[in-house]
Amino acid sequence: MKRGIKNIIYNVSYAFFAQGISLCLSLMLSFILPKVLGVAEFGYWQLYMFYSLYTMIFQLGLADGIYLRIGGKKYEEINLSILKSQYIILMMFQVIFGIIILSLGFIIDIGSNRKIVLICLAITIIVMNSNLYFGYIFQSVNKTKWFSTSIFIEKFFSIILAIILIVIKCKKFEYYIYVIVFSKVCAFIYCLYMARNIISARTVELKVALKECKINICVGSSLMISSLASMLIIGSSRQIIDMNFGIEEFGKFSFSLSATQFILQFTAQISLVLYPILCRMKKQKIKVFYENTRLAIGVLLSGFLLLYYPISIILVKWLPQYSDSIKYMVIMFPILVYDSKMHLYGTLYLKVFRLEKKLLKINIISCIISIILSLIGAYIFHNIKIVALFMVLVIMIRFYLAEYVLVDYLNTSKKSYIINNLLEAILTIVFVLVFWFVNNIIGFILYFLLFVMMVLINGKSYIKCIDMLKK
């Protein structure tokens, strides 16, 4: 157990470093770029970032299947020849998909700015899915350092080049997109180097490679579709806002989301680090790990909501043109809590126990509900705040369903499940109410006092968590 904890600390430390660099980039692009670009220009930048999130669907679940099938193995145990052959097939398809997207950019009359977004997206599909392929292999065999370094390289070049553009006061959004694409190419070159044993391996027969691709796609497609449905819970709302309210409102709404994304990226990274480690543990040990960390970390995640007050104060002074975004942020911040919990307790454990089909059902149901409610909020109420409230509600329900499946599978106390989620729901509801209807400073004090009280009440949970990690 001690060795496992050391591995967790070692890998998380590298992930923390890489995500620290990613945090710097996110902060700069989220809070400085809107100052440089106009509202519409920033909207197109956000549109590219939004579309690039969905490039993973073009790998058809192949990388996800490999991730699930070899998760927990050592690097020396995997078949390099099969992995190389599958990579070649994957890249052939990515080039085809890239050409199709590129052609659409020239054929369809969507305006010059959106055309630039599509052209850059075509390149992004090829590069990102190559990085995703090797990144999933690195993580599944516990080579987290390699994956974290690739993130560092990408974010490092993005930061340096973006700073140069900001210093020279470049106000064209496309140049900032070019920076992101170039940085991904740099990470792509590093991944190829670290995977040189795979690249230099012999290929297997086409029939064998296609058979492996079919197996991995069958295994991984449910996880990939599940991830896609999960992203569409928020993504569908953003797309509907773009269609109904225009690019400027889309940019403002996306800006309010970006204030929370850097923390979500970090919690997602931690879950990826934990996956291969938990895969090597027995069910009973995983159950103990879950029970001893659940409440402690759940309440602490609610502490992230305290960041709203200082961030809102800074943004009102720094970006007055985004004052509407500050109002949306009151609703957006609970997403930070429940999406983080979904990363750390829902998606992670359901993948470890190979319950991805149940995860798929939960995400698809949540996605459908989100689309319906977003359409109601946009086309019936014509109110972005209502769209945002519906989105938070769906994300909360999705987490409750996912954790219930886990609790039922592990046969843990359903009473604790209800109490834990009730306490955290109270914290979330109080947060929204006090900051919506009460003065910001008073709201901050009230929520802070309630949060401290919850921490003190659950002090024993933190002691158990620390004692378990020591053992």
Side-chain angles (χ1 to χ4, degrees), residues 416-428:
S416 296
Y417 160 78
I418 294 171
I419 292 173
N420 291 345
N421 284 303
L422 186 61
L423 288 173
E424 291 158 11
I426 290 171
L427 278 171
T428 303

Side-chain angles (χ1 to χ4, degrees), residues 324-348:
D324 290 340
S325 298
I326 311 302
K327 297 174 185 177
Y328 301 147
M329 278 172 57
V330 179
I331 308 168
M332 294 294 100
F333 256 66
I335 291 176
L336 170 64
V337 176
Y338 283 91
D339 251 358
S340 294
K341 288 196 286 188
M342 188 67 187
H343 286 314
L344 295 174
Y345 294 110
T347 306
L348 172 61

Side-chain angles (χ1 to χ4, degrees), residues 43-44 47 50-51 114 236-251 379:
Y44 286 115
L47 194 66
F50 171 54
Y51 287 158
R114 289 181 186 265
S236 60
S237 300
R238 294 176 69 182
Q239 186 63 53
I240 288 168
I241 287 170
D242 179 33
M243 292 165 59
N244 194 54
F245 297 97
I247 192 67
E248 291 194 10
E249 288 301 323
F250 172 82
Y379 291 97

Side-chain angles (χ1 to χ4, degrees), residues 345-442:
Y345 294 110
T347 306
L348 172 61
Y349 285 93
L350 294 183
K351 285 194 297 185
V352 168
F353 293 122
R354 296 303 306 274
L355 298 173
E356 58 267 15
K357 288 186 178 179
K358 291 190 176 181
L359 179 64
L360 173 63
K361 290 179 182 177
I362 291 168
N363 281 332
I364 287 178
I365 291 169
S366 301
C367 178
I368 293 170
I369 295 172
S370 179
I371 292 171
I372 293 170
L373 293 179
S374 295
L375 288 170
I376 292 171
Y379 291 97
I380 295 178
F381 291 99
H382 304 286
N383 192 311
I384 295 179
K385 288 182 181 178
I386 291 178
V387 174
L389 279 172
F390 283 151
M391 189 168 64
V392 175
L393 178 65
V394 172
I395 287 173
M396 291 175 70
I397 293 171
R398 178 188 62 154
F399 170 70
Y400 295 146
L401 291 173
E403 190 176 30
Y404 182 82
V405 170
L406 176 63
V407 166
D408 186 60
Y409 181 80
L410 291 175
N411 196 27
T412 59
S413 171
K414 289 184 173 62
K415 181 180 177 182
S416 296
Y417 160 78
I418 294 171
I419 292 173
N420 291 345
N421 284 303
L422 186 61
L423 288 173
E424 291 158 11
I426 290 171
L427 278 171
T428 303
I429 293 168
V430 169
F431 166 80
V432 173
L433 292 176
V434 297
F435 280 104
W436 201 316
F437 296 108
V438 184
N439 178 274
N440 270 0
I441 184 63
I442 296 174

Side-chain angles (χ1 to χ4, degrees), residues 188-252:
F188 164 72
I189 293 169
Y190 171 80
C191 286
L192 286 180
Y193 175 75
M194 296 310 296
R196 58 191 180 277
N197 289 340
I198 297 175
I199 299 300
S200 61
R202 292 183 177 181
T203 56
V204 297
E205 291 182 9
L206 181 61
K207 184 186 291 187
V208 176
L210 289 173
K211 182 180 178 181
E212 279 295 312
C213 283
K214 182 180 177 181
I215 294 171
N216 285 322
I217 289 172
C218 288
V219 171
S221 58
S222 59
L223 182 58
M224 187 271 291
I225 295 170
S226 177
S227 299
L228 176 62
S230 176
M231 291 191 294
L232 282 173
I233 294 171
I234 294 177
S236 60
S237 300
R238 294 176 69 182
Q239 186 63 53
I240 288 168
I241 287 170
D242 179 33
M243 292 165 59
N244 194 54
F245 297 97
I247 192 67
E248 291 194 10
E249 288 301 323
F250 172 82
K252 291 177 181 179

Side-chain angles (χ1 to χ4, degrees), residues 104-302:
L104 290 174
F106 286 103
I107 295 170
I108 303 174
D109 184 18
I110 53 176
S112 58
N113 288 335
R114 289 181 186 265
K115 187 173 291 186
I116 290 170
V117 170
L118 277 186
I119 292 170
C120 291
L121 191 67
I123 302 169
T124 304
I125 286 171
I126 299 169
V127 177
M128 275 192 72
N129 281 327
S130 175
N131 294 350
L132 179 72
Y133 182 83
F134 290 120
Y136 271 20
I137 292 172
F138 295 159
Q139 291 172 83
S140 60
V141 296
N142 210 22
K143 294 291 183 182
T144 308
K145 181 180 176 181
W146 296 357
F147 176 69
S148 298
T149 303
S150 71
I151 293 176
F152 168 77
I153 290 170
E154 178 185 335
K155 304 306 179 183
F156 174 78
F157 280 104
S158 296
I159 289 173
I160 297 300
L161 295 175
I163 287 174
I164 293 172
L165 291 177
I166 290 169
V167 168
I168 64 175
K169 297 181 180 179
C170 176
K171 295 184 180 295
K172 294 186 176 181
F173 77 92
E174 57 264 37
Y175 287 100
Y176 294 92
I177 295 178
Y178 300 154
V179 162
I180 296 298
V181 174
F182 174 76
S183 301
K184 291 183 186 301
V185 171
C186 293
F188 164 72
I189 293 169
Y190 171 80
C191 286
L192 286 180
Y193 175 75
M194 296 310 296
R196 58 191 180 277
N197 289 340
I198 297 175
I199 299 300
S200 61
R202 292 183 177 181
T203 56
V204 297
E205 291 182 9
L206 181 61
K207 184 186 291 187
V208 176
L210 289 173
K211 182 180 178 181
E212 279 295 312
C213 283
K214 182 180 177 181
I215 294 171
N216 285 322
I217 289 172
C218 288
V219 171
S221 58
S222 59
L223 182 58
M224 187 271 291
I225 295 170
S226 177
S227 299
L228 176 62
S230 176
M231 291 191 294
L232 282 173
I233 294 171
I234 294 177
S236 60
S237 300
R238 294 176 69 182
Q239 186 63 53
I240 288 168
I241 287 170
D242 179 33
M243 292 165 59
N244 194 54
F245 297 97
I247 192 67
E248 291 194 10
E249 288 301 323
F250 172 82
K252 291 177 181 179
F253 184 80
S254 297
F255 176 77
S256 66
L257 278 171
S258 65
T260 65
Q261 290 306 301
F262 55 88
I263 297 176
L264 285 176
Q265 289 171 7
F266 180 69
T267 55
Q269 182 62 34
I270 291 176
S271 72
L272 290 173
V273 169
L274 288 173
Y275 176 76
I277 296 168
L278 291 177
C279 281
R280 296 173 185 175
M281 294 168 61
K282 293 181 179 179
K283 181 180 177 180
Q284 188 58 35
K285 284 188 176 180
I286 297 175
K287 180 180 178 181
V288 171
F289 184 83
Y290 166 76
E291 290 176 337
N292 288 333
T293 60
R294 170 61 185 87
L295 182 59
I297 294 178
V299 174
L300 282 177
L301 285 173
S302 298

